Every structure is written in C-alpha cells, then in structure tokens.
C-alpha cells in the first residue's frame, strides 16, 4: 500500500507489471489464474509483492427457441423443433458439447378447434458445461380443414316434379358429421330445370348460402340433373267387321301425355304404322 498519502500518480511509480492468463476466448467455463510479475515496473521508494488474481469464465446464455408450426384442423400435431441462438467461439450444436434435448409441448390436441396455441419449451434432458439456457415459446397455428360439398347427380322423367336435390359431404375430421360438427346454416342448392323443362341436362349448382364454420373452409362441386323422355303409350283401338267385309280404318289412341299436353302441342310428329 502507498505511504505518506501518496497515490499511483505521485508516488514515483513507473512502468507497468506484466499480466497474463492461460484463458483464451476458446476456454471453457471455469477459473483461471491471472499471473502478475514485475515487467518494467520500478520505483525508488517501494518494493513490490506480486499476488496473482483469478479470472472466472461463466456460462454464456443460449436461447432455445421453439419454432412456429402450423397444421390443419383434425390432424396430429407436427414434430416440434427448436433453433438455438447465442453460440460462442464459432460453436455449433455438434461442436458445443451440449447434450440431451429440450422438452417441447402444446395443449393443442387432434380435436382442438382452429386457433393459435403456445408451444412451450423446457430443459428436458438438455445440459451443457458452457451454456445456460433461455427458453422462448413458439406458436402452433391450427388452420381450417377443407370440406368438399358436392351435388349428387339426379334424373327424372319429362313432366315429373324435380327430385330432392341432395348433397354429399367429404372431408370431415375427428369422425364428425354435419350435425356433430361446428357447421351452422345451410348450403344453397338449385337447378334451372322445372317440371315443364324439356329433355336435356341441367346444372345443379351448389353455393355457400348461410353455411359457416370456424373449423372448415368449403369447396363446392356442381353436378347435373338429367331429364329423360316421358313414356307415351300408343294403343291400337279395338275394331270389328263382318266376315268378308273390308277391314275398317285402323285407329290408335295416345295416353301418358304430361304437363297437360295433347298430341297437337306435345311435339310428337309422324304416324305409327297400323
């Protein structure tokens, strides 16, 4: 210690001691000696006693970050993964000496509705001599599943009322059906064909209508209503004649016209052979 109230600035002390340590930037966590020797230190009024010090290398902070993930409603959770941020001295996972794996989890299950769920990360079996860990959560986003709604093809006879227009749903998850899902409202299904529409093929169109869902998006597939020919019965009228007389005129009767039609307005042309 200095005498006479002197300080390093007015004591006549010149030069600098030599200071060194075996620790380098690549040294592992631990304690290392700080060696001190005279170097070029000199002073006419003081002798020197040298006491070594200690350099303590403490653990670096390594961030363990759960990576964000997404999946479709009704599917299993994906494999959760992490990234690491904060490696020192050019370390990688392979060269860092870190052992074990972090524990990753989420409250989301296969039946969890569409939404965002936290992916938590904890130490698990993770350990390291040179790093402490800072755990950062991620996000699991559950997105809507695709529900396909298809019109069923239909047929009818000309002049008959339209059949009921029905639908097939495919793509439900978790064993759901329409009445046991979160679907609300109703699909709009329609056709331009009516009872008096002529023979032909008419589209059955499917639209969303009032249908809504938190867990499903929708794909609509149209189909066709085929109107087939109605059946007309052409019946030969019964006749009588006398033996040896010429045959009478042979006539016939139509039955089965629809839409209040008659032969004259039905579009039937030509004559049957009798």
């Amino acid at each position: 210690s200095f005498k006479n109230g002197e300080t390093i600035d007015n004591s006549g002390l010149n030069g600098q001691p030599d200071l060194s340590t075996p620790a380098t930037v690549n040294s592992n966590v631990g304690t290392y000696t700080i060696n001190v020797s005279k170097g070029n230190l000199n002073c006419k009024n003081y002798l020197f006693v040298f006491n070594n010090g200690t350099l303590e290398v403490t653990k670096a902070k390594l961030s363990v970050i759960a990576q964000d993930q997404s999946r479709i409603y009704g599917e299993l959770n994906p494999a959760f993964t992490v990234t690491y941020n904060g490696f020192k001295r050019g370390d990688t996972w392979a060269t860092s000496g870190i052992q074990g794996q972090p524990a990753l989890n989420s409250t989301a299950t296969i039946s969890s509705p569409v939404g965002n769920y936290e992916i938590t990360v904890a130490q698990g079996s993770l350990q390291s001599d040179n790093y402490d860990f800072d755990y950062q959560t991620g996000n699991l986003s559950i997105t809507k599943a695709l529900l396909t709604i298809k019109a069923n093809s239909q047929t009818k006879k000309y002049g008959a009322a339209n059949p009921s227009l029905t639908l097939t749903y495919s793509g439900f998850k978790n064993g759901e059906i329409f009445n046991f899902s979160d679907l609300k409202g109703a699909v709009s299904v329609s056709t331009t064909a009516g009872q008096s529409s002529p023979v032909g093929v008419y589209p059955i169109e499917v639209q969303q209508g009032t249908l809504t869902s938190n867990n499903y998006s929708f794909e609509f597939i149209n189909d066709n209503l085929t109107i087939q020919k109605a059946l007309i019965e052409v019946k030969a009228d019964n006749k009588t004649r006398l033996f040896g007389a010429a045959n009478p005129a042979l006539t016939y009767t139509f039955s089965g016209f629809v839409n209040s039609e008659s032969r004259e307005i039905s579009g039937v042309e030509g004559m049957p052979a009798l």
Side-chain angles (χ1 to χ4, degrees):
S1 58
F2 287 109
K3 303 295 184 180
N4 302 320
E6 292 175 348
T7 66
I8 192 171
D9 297 318
N10 60 16
S11 64
L13 194 66
N14 294 308
Q16 296 289 333
D18 283 337
L19 295 163
S20 65
T21 180
T24 69
V25 70
N26 293 320
S27 296
N28 293 324
V29 167
T31 57
Y32 298 83
T33 300
I34 302 173
N35 299 301
V36 58
S37 60
K38 183 176 181 181
N40 63 0
L41 198 64
N42 67 87
C43 182
K44 66 180 180 178
N45 293 327
Y46 291 96
L47 296 173
F48 304 106
V49 176
F50 298 99
N51 296 314
N52 293 336
T54 299
L55 172 64
E56 182 180 6
V57 179
T58 60
K59 289 186 176 185
K61 186 72 73 176
L62 184 68
S63 294
V64 184
I65 307 164
Q67 292 185 293
D68 291 343
Q69 301 276 6
S70 67
R71 69 165 174 87
I72 294 172
Y73 169 71
E75 296 186 355
L76 294 172
N77 287 342
F80 297 136
T81 57
V82 297
T83 57
Y84 296 89
N85 186 35
F87 280 118
K88 301 297 184 182
R89 66 185 186 186
D91 279 347
T92 64
W93 170 264
T95 63
S96 65
I98 295 174
Q99 297 180 344
Q101 295 293 330
L104 293 156
N105 199 14
S106 175
T107 58
T109 67
I110 193 171
S111 58
S112 296
V114 166
N116 292 305
Y117 298 82
E118 188 176 71
I119 302 172
T120 59
V121 55
Q123 184 167 355
S125 61
L126 205 61
Q127 55 180 315
S128 172
D129 292 333
N130 292 327
Y131 293 96
D132 282 327
F133 303 109
D134 173 48
Y135 302 103
Q136 299 180 23
T137 60
N139 181 70
L140 172 63
S141 176
I142 298 179
T143 58
K144 290 185 175 185
L146 181 65
L147 187 66
T148 299
I149 304 173
K150 181 184 180 302
N152 296 321
S153 63
Q154 302 282 359
T155 60
K156 71 159 188 162
K157 298 293 185 181
Y158 171 67
N162 283 349
S164 296
L165 302 179
T166 58
L167 302 167
T168 297
Y169 294 80
S170 59
F172 277 116
K173 301 293 185 178
N174 299 319
E176 295 174 348
I177 59 175
F178 189 99
N179 293 332
F180 293 94
S181 67
D182 76 332
L183 268 64
K184 297 179 181 178
V187 176
S188 171
V189 56
S190 62
T191 181
T192 55
Q195 184 166 343
S196 58
S197 296
V199 167
V201 178
Y202 297 82
I204 301 173
E205 296 184 346
V206 186
Q207 295 179 321
Q208 185 166 350
T210 59
L211 192 68
T212 61
S213 172
N214 180 62
N215 293 327
Y216 294 95
S217 58
F218 307 115
E219 175 188 34
F220 301 101
I221 299 178
N222 298 333
D223 213 306
N224 295 311
L225 169 62
T226 301
I227 300 180
Q228 302 170 335
K229 290 185 176 183
L231 183 64
I232 295 177
E233 182 180 38
V234 185
K235 182 179 182 298
D237 297 328
N238 294 328
K239 298 290 181 177
T240 61
R241 69 172 175 83
L242 295 175
F243 173 71
N247 285 341
L250 304 180
T251 60
Y252 58 90
T253 302
F254 286 107
S255 63
F257 284 114
V258 296
N259 297 327
S260 301
E261 293 176 349
S262 63
R263 163 66 188 270
E264 291 71 26
I265 62 173
S266 66
V268 174
E269 298 178 353
M271 300 293 290
L274 294 166

